């Protein structure tokens, strides 16, 4: 928004407010924190395997999301401050932040287009490793981790494509747990909802960064060309009445008197005033 506030005969303040990138940045940061420390993602990431396929993806997604959120908030703050103070350097810094976010979002979009199921495959592979180790060599640690995953996703085991389960697999899901959904399907359903939210935020981020880049570049050129976004200076108001003539130049007063009173009277008045 570019609110132009006018008061009386002078322009008061021309400010630039970029709330949308800031709101988007806070939204992305909140979502990444909830995902990183959230129960569904953390329970998969904290599995004590020699090689956890999801752990690297989990940390990478968190750091990328936090970095993008920080750049969005920083760019909006720099642009707003630069518009108020008419600082070219700050405006250029805000523009650079928006460019970096735009390039990063394009890279993320390209990565999701080329590898749409990488996160899903990493989570499913991690669950498969825990499940297979719990079935083949039952241990208290693997059984506890498997039970924690199944309780978090409200699922149980894996359904065999042939509908036949080994005895050790059947023992993992008994009673009410046997009626639960297959864990692979439950994880896929959860990730599908999460990926839809990511897609909406990415689309909004691309649109807002393009808008912010155009706006910040326009303001940078406006500052460079010397257009004052905020008119600065002091104004003195001359009161009406007899005091007005005290601020009038003496020569101007002589000219007015000469014009109104005539040449002769003006000359006499001029001599009189000159003697004073």
């Amino acid at each position: 928004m570019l609110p132009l506030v006018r008061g009386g005969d002078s322009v008061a303040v021309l400010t630039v407010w970029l709330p949308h990138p800031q709101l988007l940045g806070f939204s992305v940061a909140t979502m990444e924190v909830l995902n990183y420390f959230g129960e569904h993602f953390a329970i998969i990431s904290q599995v004590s395997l020699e090689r956890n396929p999801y752990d690297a993806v989990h940390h990478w997604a968190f750091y990328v999301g936090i970095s993008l959120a920080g750049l969005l908030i920083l760019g909006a703050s720099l642009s707003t401050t630069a518009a108020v103070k008419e600082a070219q350097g700050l405006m250029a810094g805000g523009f650079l932040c928006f460019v970096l976010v735009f390039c990063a979002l394009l890279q993320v979009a390209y990565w999701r287009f080329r590898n749409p199921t990488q996160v899903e495959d990493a989570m499913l592979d991690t669950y498969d490793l825990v499940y297979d180790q719990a079935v083949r060599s039952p241990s208290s640690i693997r059984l506890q981790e498997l039970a924690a995953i199944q309780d978090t996703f409200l699922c149980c085991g894996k359904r065999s494509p042939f509908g036949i389960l080994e005895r050790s697999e059947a023992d993992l899901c008994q009673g009410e747990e046997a009626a639960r959904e297959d864990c692979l399907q439950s994880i896929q359903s959860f990730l599908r909802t999460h990926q839809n939210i990511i897609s909406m935020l990415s689309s909004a981020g691309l649109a807002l960064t393009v808008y912010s880049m155009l706006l910040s570049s326009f303001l940078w050129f406006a500052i460079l060309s010397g257009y004052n976004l905020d008119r600065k200076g002091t104004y003195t108001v001359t009161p009406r009445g007899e005091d007005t003539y005290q601020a009038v130049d003496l020569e101007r007063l002589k000219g007015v008197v000469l014009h109104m009173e005539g040449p002769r009277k003006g000359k006499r008045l001029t001599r009189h005033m000159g003697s004073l």
Side-chain angles (χ1 to χ4, degrees):
M1 288 183 356
L2 295 175
L4 182 60
V5 182
R6 291 184 179 271
D9 297 329
S10 62
V11 179
V13 181
L14 177 63
T15 57
V16 176
W17 185 36
L18 295 174
H20 303 298
Q22 287 180 338
L23 292 177
L24 181 63
F26 285 119
S27 299
V28 172
T30 302
M31 188 195 66
E32 290 300 329
V33 170
L34 292 177
N35 290 341
Y36 188 79
F37 297 101
E39 191 176 13
H40 291 80
F41 292 99
I43 197 67
I44 300 292
S45 176
Q46 294 172 358
V47 171
S48 58
L49 294 172
E50 294 181 0
R51 180 180 175 275
N52 190 336
Y54 176 71
D55 188 53
V57 177
H58 184 65
H59 289 86
W60 177 84
F62 174 74
Y63 294 137
V64 170
I66 291 297
S67 300
L68 290 178
L71 285 174
L72 281 171
I73 297 172
L74 179 62
S77 301
L78 288 177
S79 299
T80 304
T81 305
V84 174
K85 295 185 177 181
E86 300 183 21
Q88 297 181 20
L90 294 179
M91 189 64 71
F95 177 80
L96 179 62
C97 290
F98 293 134
V99 171
L100 292 176
V101 173
F102 180 76
C103 295
L105 287 176
L106 284 180
Q107 183 64 33
V108 170
Y110 176 76
W111 168 73
R112 293 192 68 240
F113 176 77
R114 292 293 303 270
N115 305 284
T117 61
Q118 182 173 355
V119 177
E120 178 180 330
D121 292 342
M123 291 190 72
L124 295 179
D125 290 344
T126 302
Y127 176 78
D128 283 337
L129 290 174
V130 175
Y131 183 84
D132 292 341
Q133 291 183 15
V135 170
R136 294 178 181 178
S137 56
S139 64
S140 59
I141 297 179
R142 287 291 174 265
L143 289 177
Q144 290 177 1
E145 292 177 343
L146 181 62
I149 295 174
Q150 294 181 158
D151 291 339
T152 301
F153 287 93
L154 298 179
C155 61
C156 189
K158 298 189 298 183
R159 299 290 182 267
S160 173
F162 305 102
I164 301 175
L165 297 176
E166 297 181 358
R167 181 176 181 181
S168 57
E169 294 179 309
D171 292 339
L172 295 176
C173 299
Q174 296 179 353
E176 297 180 356
E177 295 181 352
R180 290 180 177 178
E181 184 182 12
D182 174 58
C183 283
L184 298 181
Q185 295 179 357
S186 180
I187 294 174
Q188 289 175 340
S189 177
F190 171 77
L191 289 178
R192 216 169 280 122
T193 303
H194 182 265
Q195 288 175 355
N196 291 335
I197 299 175
I198 294 295
S199 299
M200 289 189 296
L201 288 177
S202 299
S203 301
L206 286 172
L208 286 176
T209 49
V210 171
Y211 156 76
S212 301
M213 286 189 296
L214 293 175
L215 182 58
S216 58
S217 60
F218 165 76
L219 292 173
W220 186 86
F221 282 111
I223 297 173
L224 182 64
S225 62
Y227 175 73
N228 290 327
L229 299 179
D230 181 7
R231 178 174 295 179
K232 299 177 181 179
T234 58
Y235 300 88
T236 58
V237 180
T238 304
R240 294 181 180 179
E242 296 182 356
D243 295 338
T244 304
Y245 294 99
Q246 297 177 0
V248 179
D249 184 75
L250 181 60
E251 296 295 331
R252 184 179 177 184
L253 178 60
K254 292 178 181 179
V256 171
V257 173
L258 286 173
H259 176 74
M260 296 181 63
E261 300 295 335
R264 296 180 63 184
K265 189 178 292 187
K267 290 180 181 178
R268 290 197 299 269
L269 180 59
T270 302
R271 294 195 196 98
H272 179 68
M273 295 179 65
S275 63
L276 293 177

